[in-house]
Amino acid sequence: MTRRTTSSESQRPARRGARASQVGLESRTRAWLRHHRAMWLDSAQRLAKRPLSSLLTMLAIAIALVLPSGLWLALDSARLLDAELDESATVTVYLDTRLDERAAMDVAARLRDQTPVAGARLVTAAEGLAEFQQGVGLEDALASLEDNPLPAAVVVTPADTDPDAVRVLASNLEAVDGVDEARVDLAWLERLRRLAELGQRLALALAGLFGLGVLLVVGNTIRLAVESRRQEIEVVTLIGATHAFVRRPFLYSGAWYGLGGGVLAIVLLVLGGHWLSAPVTALAESYGAHFTLPRLGLGGSVLLCFCSTLLGWLGAWLAVGRHLADIKPR
């Protein structure tokens, strides 16, 4: 009976001691996601175990981000002011003093039909004299004049506030019959736009410079973390861990540093805005204007946090990639 069993068993194909199992894509994806989640939590816990050093690193990143962000907000306020000045940009067209009020209205209608003119408002000689009296406070002296020395004027609002376009419009308006002179002062507008352009380039240069500073801060911090876990890295490398596997926790640490620095930068910007809002508002009111400091808002805050997190991740990636090449299992 034993021999029959052995004979039947000998007819079966021999079983191997170990079989290779194929892992499906879904299983590999789940394992990849589990490892990412574990490294995300582990890196956060490691930073929480060293709260003071982590806070100082994040604060250094925040300080590096505050200056270019604050300068960009200042440029936003300059752009808002530029838009208000564009709306107030006008060409003053002085009419011939020999024209009566009806002829002045006809000339104003012709000026209104010119291109590109958004609007034209006639200021008669009497209205001009009354405004001048109120402005200089010499009502009694000017009232003694026998004749009104001021001409009628038309305040023209250009549709295109570009300085070159306004100059061309002024020269075209001077060619209209009944116009004595078209005066426009665009020097202040050009200076403001040149300053805004200079500020934009300065903000971009500072953003690049301080972005490099963030990379160096995060890279130095991650380098120290890599050196402190050198033996652990050598062990996992010996059992077949890839560089991507080893790099992953440090990348999440860099991202956490960047995110924390971005949040602290937002807090510093908000506190600075509240601290400066009262004197800025008082200064604007002294000039009879209404002006408030711009704020980041939700979109700006999300963008700042995203950029800081990306800088932290990139700094960690550069630091780990550099030092993993020097770590060789013994």
Side-chain angles (χ1 to χ4, degrees):
M1 187 69 179
T2 304
R3 292 179 180 177
R4 290 179 182 176
T5 304
T6 305
S7 176
S8 62
E9 290 177 354
S10 63
Q11 295 177 359
R12 298 177 182 177
R15 296 181 179 178
R16 298 178 181 177
R19 291 180 299 176
S21 60
Q22 296 182 352
V23 181
L25 177 62
E26 184 178 356
S27 300
R28 290 198 300 268
T29 304
R30 285 200 299 267
W32 182 79
L33 291 176
R34 281 197 302 269
H35 187 256
H36 271 275
R37 184 169 59 252
M39 293 300 100
W40 175 67
L41 293 174
D42 179 71
S43 60
Q45 291 172 358
R46 288 178 182 271
L47 266 63
K49 290 179 181 178
R50 304 186 303 273
L52 182 59
S53 61
S54 301
L55 181 61
L56 291 177
T57 302
M58 294 177 183
L59 186 59
I61 296 173
I63 294 173
L65 295 173
V66 163
L67 185 58
S69 301
L71 183 57
W72 194 261
L73 288 177
L75 291 176
D76 281 341
S77 63
R79 280 193 288 267
L80 293 175
L81 181 60
D82 190 14
E84 293 180 359
L85 293 176
D86 284 344
E87 294 178 357
S88 62
T90 56
V91 179
T92 304
V93 179
Y94 296 99
L95 305 184
D96 194 340
T97 55
R98 295 170 296 180
L99 298 178
D100 56 10
E101 186 172 347
R102 179 177 292 275
M105 295 176 62
D106 294 338
V107 174
R110 291 201 303 270
L111 294 177
R112 196 176 292 111
D113 295 335
Q114 296 291 319
T115 304
V117 172
R121 179 175 62 89
L122 174 64
V123 179
T124 62
E127 292 173 350
L129 181 60
E131 292 179 2
F132 184 71
Q133 288 175 346
Q134 293 178 357
V136 298
L138 298 176
E139 291 85 354
D140 297 335
L142 295 176
S144 61
L145 295 176
E146 297 180 358
D147 297 327
N148 186 356
L150 299 180
V154 179
V155 181
V156 176
T157 303
D160 186 2
T161 56
D162 183 74
D164 295 333
V166 174
R167 289 193 185 94
V168 173
L169 176 62
S171 61
N172 293 335
L173 295 178
E174 282 186 347
V176 177
D177 293 336
V179 174
D180 184 29
E181 181 185 4
R183 183 174 298 176
V184 56
D185 184 13
L186 295 176
W188 52 271
L189 187 57
E190 290 182 350
R191 293 192 191 101
L192 181 62
R193 289 181 175 176
R194 296 295 181 270
L195 288 175
E197 183 180 356
L198 177 62
Q200 289 178 358
R201 296 192 179 186
L202 182 60
L204 290 176
L206 288 177
L209 182 62
F210 285 100
L212 180 61
V214 171
L215 293 180
L216 294 177
V217 170
V218 175
N220 185 64
T221 305
I222 297 300
R223 181 185 65 82
L224 296 177
V226 171
E227 289 297 330
S228 65
R229 300 172 63 179
R230 188 184 186 94
Q231 295 182 352
E232 179 184 346
I233 294 173
E234 291 177 353
V235 170
V236 297
T237 305
L238 280 174
I239 62 178
T242 61
H243 280 187
F245 183 90
V246 176
R247 187 186 296 117
R248 197 163 295 151
F250 300 105
L251 294 182
Y252 276 111
S253 297
W256 278 117
Y257 280 125
L259 180 60
V263 172
L264 287 178
I266 293 173
V267 173
L268 292 178
L269 288 172
V270 171
L271 293 177
H274 284 297
W275 184 54
L276 294 175
S277 61
V280 169
T281 302
L283 179 62
E285 290 178 352
S286 65
Y287 284 96
H290 177 71
F291 178 76
T292 56
L293 289 174
R295 304 183 184 277
L296 276 177
L298 179 60
S301 301
V302 171
L303 180 61
L304 181 59
C305 288
F306 174 78
C307 292
S308 62
T309 304
L310 183 61
L311 286 174
W313 180 90
L314 183 59
W317 188 84
L318 293 174
V320 177
R322 169 68 179 82
H323 293 284
L324 279 182
D326 298 335
I327 297 178
K328 296 181 180 180
R330 294 171 293 185

